[in-house]
Amino acid sequence: MSVMYIRGGNPLEGELAVHGAKNSVLPILAACLLARGPVTLTNCPRLTDVTTALGILRCLGCQVEQEGRTIVVDPTGAVGSTVSEEQMRAMRSSIIFLGPLLARTGEAHLTYPGGCELGPRPIDLHLAAIRAMGCEVREDRGIHCQGRPKGGEVQLALPSVGATENAILCAVGADGPTTIINAAREPEIGDLQSFLNTLGANVRGAGSSTVTVEGGRPLSGGEFAIMGDRIVAATLLSAAASAGGRVRLRGVDWRHLATVLSVFHQAGCRVESRLEYVELKRDRAKPLKGVPTIRTAPYPGFPTDAQAPVMAALAASQGCTLFVETMFDSRYRHVAELMRMGADITTEGRVALVRGVERLHGARVEASDLRGGGALAAAALGAEGATVLSGLNHIDRGYEGLEEMLRVLGADVERREE
Ligand code: UD1
């Protein structure tokens, strides 16, 4: 079993370019199915979820090459319309192949996706969107969709990121125009729009609640660079807030992190936001302060994916912080592990009350989901003594070489076999 061995207490110092965003590259890889020529993607993070997506593309008949952070997908020979149960279980994002498959072949056969670690994660909104565009959906030991999408009006009951992306991807190949109402506004949807338009699509409105798609335009091959990962950035900033020191991150747009930066500012960190970088400085001699209620919400609200890392930083602080998780039912699995490290946190349903302690201490802890894993690493860096972190398979789904990134910033971290 691999574990991360983290010795806390070193302040973090230095500069790092944040790698490409998992939540951007996954829908963009699925979107490659819509192209009629090879697509070159740069700044792709090397993550196990990316490997899963490439496996799906290969099974569907695409030629795929990966060299470092560049991926070339040639979908010219793609004929398949089925994603296997194993691939669907490997990650929640496998569902994002539904829209492109329908757009390309008029048919899609999938099973229910995995990724249940945050509580129930239904796909009803994805299916409702597909139906609204004129496709037939049958749920019978899996999901079977049939029919060329015609386009139409998609009213999302909730601004779901995945359902918005699936609707856009299906609509691009539809015979007529589509309007998506109550669309999610996350920056990664903007990246998907830019990618599709680079290939010749006409998608407008990403970043607002209404997205329009012309539909039916043939897409060429092309080249595109994936945006930086704002959640990786939030995790590294949480690590710096936890350990103290000064960290400068490049490759992310600070505006995508505005709510997270505001929390760190209120907690007593010095935050500098520039076009080219974002920097966080915390004097280790001065404790962090508790902040007013942090309520997760769809973008531009406080991201649910940053809840665990920010909680890890605020676990050692003066005062209390109340967290309200409005997005997922079960997103406090890191709390029990933080408590092993000496944190004082009470949860009740979707609410968690963090009573700041003076300092955490090292312990053996286990990540049980991706961002919870990032949070435990951040906590360990500010803690006294050594932490042994297991469950690295979760961390590797979304952080490319987390221990190397932290080492660049001066942390005492190594991966060991136990
Ligand atoms: C995406 C992100 C994930 C992030 C989440 C919320 C990717 C690959 N993943 O996940 O990192 O935590 O957004 O910002 O981009 N819902 C339904 N029915 C559906 C779909 C969603 O009820 O058909 C609910 C979910 O249970 C959840 C809420 O809508 O309560 C938001 O989920 P959604 O935005 O769809 O998250 P994902 O796209 O899965």
Side-chain angles (χ1 to χ4, degrees):
M1 179 180 69
S2 297
V3 296
M4 220 183 268
Y5 189 87
I6 306 171
R7 209 185 297 273
N10 280 7
L12 299 188
E13 294 284 346
E15 187 172 318
L16 194 79
V18 176
H19 65 65
K22 169 178 92 67
N23 290 354
S24 174
V25 73
L26 295 176
I28 286 177
L29 282 171
C32 289
L33 278 174
L34 300 170
R36 294 195 179 166
V39 176
T40 302
L41 301 174
T42 56
N43 200 31
C44 297
R46 284 164 289 196
L47 305 169
T48 47
D49 274 8
V50 169
T51 308
T52 303
L54 298 184
I56 294 175
L57 287 170
R58 283 196 183 97
C59 284
L60 293 170
C62 298
Q63 296 236 354
V64 177
E65 277 169 42
Q66 185 178 22
E67 203 180 314
R69 286 184 172 165
T70 300
I71 294 175
V72 181
V73 179
D74 185 352
T76 319
V79 286
S81 54
T82 302
V83 182
S84 75
E85 181 163 9
E86 196 190 336
Q87 288 165 328
M88 289 301 297
R89 275 184 188 280
M91 63 171 180
R92 162 94 183 162
S93 292
S94 301
I95 193 67
I96 208 66
F97 282 86
L98 177 60
L101 277 176
L102 274 167
R104 186 177 176 99
T105 68
E107 211 175 310
H109 304 279
L110 294 84
T111 64
Y112 293 95
C116 58
E117 75 275 6
L118 314 179
R121 295 178 77 178
I123 54 163
D124 53 323
L125 303 176
H126 298 246
L127 302 184
I130 298 298
R131 283 193 178 102
M133 282 182 270
C135 301
E136 206 178 284
V137 179
R138 190 166 50 84
E139 292 182 76
D140 175 19
R141 274 178 289 171
I143 304 148
H144 306 281
C145 304
Q146 210 102 38
R148 281 212 49 75
K150 296 181 184 61
E153 190 172 287
V154 175
Q155 289 258 11
L156 292 175
L158 286 171
S160 153
V161 177
T164 302
E165 291 166 343
N166 242 333
I168 292 173
L169 291 169
C170 190
V172 164
D175 296 333
T178 300
T179 304
I180 304 163
I181 294 159
N182 199 23
R185 300 169 57 191
E186 268 68 1
E188 292 76 16
I189 295 170
D191 219 29
L192 179 63
Q193 170 177 287
S194 303
F195 169 69
L196 291 166
N197 291 348
T198 299
L199 303 192
N202 184 11
V203 183
R204 304 279 160 217
S208 77
S209 304
T210 307
V211 175
T212 56
V213 183
E214 186 184 317
R217 287 167 76 124
L219 302 198
S220 63
E223 195 171 326
F224 189 77
I226 303 296
M227 71 187 289
D229 196 314
R230 65 193 166 101
I231 305 300
V232 170
T235 307
L236 295 172
L237 295 177
S238 300
S242 166
R246 181 157 70 148
V247 163
R248 183 178 283 193
L249 302 178
R250 296 187 182 274
V252 279
D253 186 333
W254 71 268
R255 292 167 297 186
H256 298 158
L257 283 164
T259 48
V260 176
L261 297 177
S262 152
V263 165
F264 286 131
H265 174 71
Q266 291 174 76
C269 301
R270 214 199 69 200
V271 176
E272 201 179 306
S273 310
R274 295 274 179 275
L275 211 55
E276 319 80 53
Y277 64 82
V278 53
E279 185 179 281
L280 183 142
K281 187 174 169 207
R282 184 204 144 201
D283 181 351
R284 197 170 159 80
K286 278 202 224 144
L288 292 175
K289 295 176 283 193
V291 300
T293 303
I294 297 176
R295 194 180 298 274
T296 66
Y299 192 84
F302 188 93
T304 173
D305 288 349
Q307 177 255 108
V310 169
M311 184 186 289
L314 290 172
S317 62
Q318 259 177 5
C320 295
T321 303
L322 192 69
F323 285 80
V324 184
E325 172 56 64
T326 73
M327 302 292 288
F328 293 106
D329 280 342
S330 169
R331 207 163 193 184
Y332 288 134
R333 290 175 70 181
H334 49 282
V335 165
E337 304 302 295
L338 289 174
M339 286 170 73
R340 282 178 200 273
M341 301 175 75
D344 182 358
I345 305 172
T346 315
T347 59
E348 170 98 36
R350 291 183 165 209
V351 175
L353 175 64
V354 177
R355 290 182 207 84
V357 296
E358 197 183 328
R359 181 145 298 174
L360 300 182
H361 54 77
R364 286 191 82 90
V365 291
E366 184 176 358
S368 54
D369 66 87
L370 167 58
R371 304 304 170 190
L376 294 172
L381 290 165
E384 210 156 76
T387 292
V388 181
L389 171 58
S390 60
L392 303 191
N393 56 315
H394 295 291
I395 292 177
D396 293 339
R397 284 190 39 233
Y399 298 96
E400 179 187 320
L402 180 59
E403 68 277 18
E404 278 159 45
M405 288 193 269
L406 295 172
R407 265 203 303 269
V408 167
L409 299 176
D412 187 350
V413 187
E414 59 180 312
R415 197 176 277 237
R416 291 182 182 172
E417 288 305 315
E418 271 202 342

